[in-house]
Amino acid sequence: MGETLAIKIFAVLMGLFSLALVFLSVQDFYFIDIKPYGVDFKNVEAKTLSAFELNSSGVKANYNAATWTRYQDKDIFNAVRVFGFDYNLSANELALTNGLVELSGKVHYEDINKTSIDTQKLIYDKKKENLSTRTDFTAHRGSNTLQGNALSYDLRTKELSIKGVKAWLE
């Protein structure tokens, strides 16, 4: 009698185990939402940030910032320094929103084509690969110095367009 009871219990447990396996095999584990709703990750802050952009042959750029704050609609970096493969960039503040990078406060851009731009505000459009400003600036191309109040610099064609220009050419 004891053996038949043990066999019946074993059969019931095996049946339950097989049902559990069938139930688990039809579940989509990636569908389960584990995120706790009481925690909001939209606002993040970091200090002394250093990031590297890599490609297949090596380091493409090194990004440094004293602080980074992520809000729901934008990222803000303070004391930004970017050391790229063919350019260097520095600014007191960088705001990143929807593909536009807005640099402000002592902005300095310099590339390998001997073009440098100093201004208080500079906007970089990632899609168009274009730097622009509508504030007073000083641009240097080689030994030539250009000052004006509006600038557009196409990074693909290296074409510099300036409005309200004062130029010192050599």
Side-chain angles (χ1 to χ4, degrees), residues 1-85:
M1 170 105 176
E3 291 178 13
T4 56
L5 185 61
I7 292 174
K8 287 181 182 179
I9 292 173
F10 180 73
V12 168
L13 289 176
M14 287 303 292
L16 290 174
F17 180 71
S18 62
L19 282 174
L21 284 178
V22 168
F23 178 74
L24 289 175
S25 67
V26 297
Q27 295 297 311
D28 184 7
F29 291 106
Y30 299 108
F31 184 70
I32 299 172
D33 189 11
I34 302 175
K35 178 181 145 193
Y37 290 99
V39 180
D40 187 10
F41 290 105
K42 293 177 185 161
N43 295 339
V44 176
E45 187 171 329
K47 296 187 185 299
T48 316
L49 181 70
S50 184
F52 296 91
E53 183 178 349
L54 304 174
N55 60 17
S56 61
S57 61
V59 177
K60 186 176 176 185
N62 176 7
Y63 303 92
N64 295 310
T67 63
W68 165 49
T69 307
R70 168 168 275 179
Y71 298 102
Q72 188 171 0
D73 58 341
K74 65 182 171 182
D75 293 317
I76 295 180
F77 299 86
N78 290 316
V80 177
R81 306 285 178 265
V82 179
F83 305 102
F85 177 71

Side-chain angles (χ1 to χ4, degrees), residues 126-139:
K126 287 182 177 182
K127 292 178 186 171
K128 297 178 182 176
E129 291 187 39
N130 186 357
L131 290 170
S132 63
T133 185
R134 299 235 181 260
T135 60
D136 292 341
F137 68 90
T138 302

